[in-house]
Amino acid sequence: MADQNKRDYYEVLGVEKSASEDEIKRAYRKMAQKYHPDLNPGDKEAEAKFKEVNEANEVLSDPDKRARYDQFGFAGVDPNFNPNAGFGGGFGGGFGDIFGGGFGDIFGDLFGGGSTRRANAPTRGQNASAAVAITFEEAAFGCKKEVTSPRIENCPDCHGSGCRGGAAPETCDQCRGTGTVRVTRQTAFGAFAQTSACPKCGGTGKIIKDPCPTCKGRGKVRKNKKIEVSIPAGIDNGQSVRVRGEGNVGSNGGPNGDLLVAVTIRPHEIFRRDGANVLCEMPITFAQAALGCEVEVPTLDGPVRYRVPEGTQTGTTFRLKGKGIPYVGYKNRGDQYVTVTIETPAKLSKAQKDLLKKFDESLGENAHPKKKKFFG
């Protein structure tokens, strides 16, 4: 059951129900930037709004999900949703099946068609999928990648007709091209008519007498296609890029599906990622930490100079503002956080050890307040 407290998805994005794909995209970007957790740290309300905006965009940016939402509301985008559920009973069919030859036909005659969808109606093709691996830097700044995707296309020899030489198939004489037939059944309640796919043509409304040898009369073939995909700057590991119209071909003149490219980001030798922020550890010597020093810190934009103050302790973290990863669709970027680690020399000569002992003795107990407190 749908959550009754949910706000309408169009209301969440602040657009009209007639909004175009571009209008929805612009509205989503605006709202996502406004409530992004990195721009509202610690704000639970903004975090909840951000999730709400993403949920609304996931539905309204997908033509199939949007159509189901427009027709059935939140229930239409529920994975367990079945528009015929609750009417099947023991009759082996939905509401439209039971009354296919009774009230359903009356309503169909009056209003231009019943509730049963024609098997040969235009159908959108299914989405195809592909995967691509990119570097840390390519994910940060965006790139173009060529991917190979297996997908269903119209047969090049028969152009989708299924007939040898591209000839047109014949109209089925049993259903007269409608793709459906009406069957009357006797039940305990009387005679009922049911509309179902034509058994002779399989619901296509067409008969192929001389099949195309390339596709065996199916009208479609599977092919691998190379496509150049634009990876947006700021994409994260496991996210996907949608390429409109590059999926499987539709049926009966329906539109193509989309291509969904799953992105994997290879680990970096130095950097790690936390949202739009970049994390790294920087080793320095004991002398540099005690006396302070100027160091060269690697960033995605190249090395930058940074002054480490004297007395810096291991585990100290400093921030390089704006040196992180861009937010997808925006110019502003996260930050880079650099954590200092003091590297202790492992192999010392006797002379070096003697010098260190003398140095340590010269400091006295007051030079190590944490050690004094711990052992005290």
Side-chain angles (χ1 to χ4, degrees), residues 29-49:
R29 287 180 175 176
K30 179 180 177 182
M31 302 298 281
Q33 184 181 31
K34 180 178 179 181
Y35 296 116
H36 199 286
D38 289 337
L39 302 179
N40 301 274
D43 189 337
K44 295 296 182 184
E45 185 178 351
E47 184 179 342
K49 294 275 190 185

Side-chain angles (χ1 to χ4, degrees), residues 297-313:
V297 182
T299 73
L300 290 171
D301 301 307
V304 298
R305 305 294 297 180
Y306 185 83
R307 180 72 190 176
V308 177
E310 64 179 64
T312 294
Q313 303 296 312

